[in-house]
Amino acid sequence: MKGCVWRAGRATIVMSLCALSTAAVAASRMADPLANSPEQIRKAQVELQRLDCLGGPIDGKLGNQTRLAVRKFWKTAGQPAVEVSITDELISDLADRGAGFCRPARRFFAVGAPLRPGGPAVPPFMRGARPPVVPAAQPPASAR
């Protein structure tokens, strides 16, 4: 009988500790219930990949790569960087941007600048470009 009571007592203690830890987790989620859910993080990661901000996997976890990608997005958008929190507002802001938003701008060639070292100064297809000068072939000396 003593063993049964002891086991029941231990089970009761364990149950009360589990209830306390569950309450603590619920209280922490009550602080910001609309942020950082795995579904929201996954949606944000999909959008960040579309914008070329995130190079890592889509795993639904708020890891370092996801945090860096959100900060990169904020920097490109000209927004102040604050603590990273994935919310529906952030996801809609990501969705409003065009594809490749975080991709650096490509450099186009300038007219008159050499395309490569030793190359022509003006591309041959541009207006005003002259064909390259090819020296005339000299006839052999015996033919003269």
Side-chain angles (χ1 to χ4, degrees):
M1 186 67 126
K2 236 181 196 183
C4 294
V5 171
W6 178 76
R7 286 184 187 166
R10 188 171 77 178
T12 305
I13 291 171
V14 171
M15 295 276 267
S16 64
L17 290 178
C18 289
L20 287 175
S21 65
T22 306
V25 169
S28 69
R29 287 189 180 168
M30 292 300 264
D32 197 4
L34 303 176
N36 297 336
S37 71
E39 297 84 25
Q40 288 175 321
I41 294 171
R42 188 176 307 278
K43 287 178 186 178
Q45 287 174 335
V46 168
E47 291 297 325
L48 287 167
Q49 271 194 345
R50 182 182 63 84
L51 299 175
D52 289 335
C53 297
L54 178 66
I58 297 174
D59 56 2
K61 297 177 184 174
L62 188 58
N64 284 336
Q65 288 185 343
T66 305
R67 290 177 196 275
L68 290 174
V70 171
R71 288 189 184 115
K72 183 177 180 181
F73 168 74
W74 283 338
K75 183 179 178 183
T76 305
Q79 297 176 355
V82 293
E83 183 181 342
V84 176
S85 180
I86 308 297
T87 60
D88 289 334
E89 182 181 344
L90 175 64
I91 294 169
S92 66
D93 193 18
L94 292 168
D96 290 342
R97 307 297 173 147
F101 181 74
C102 292
R103 186 181 311 145
R106 292 183 182 168
R107 290 184 44 193
F108 293 102
F109 62 88
V111 176
L115 296 177
R116 62 181 184 274
V122 179
F125 54 82
M126 296 191 72
R127 182 182 294 163
R130 296 182 182 168
V133 177
V134 179
Q138 296 288 333
S142 63
R144 286 189 212 179

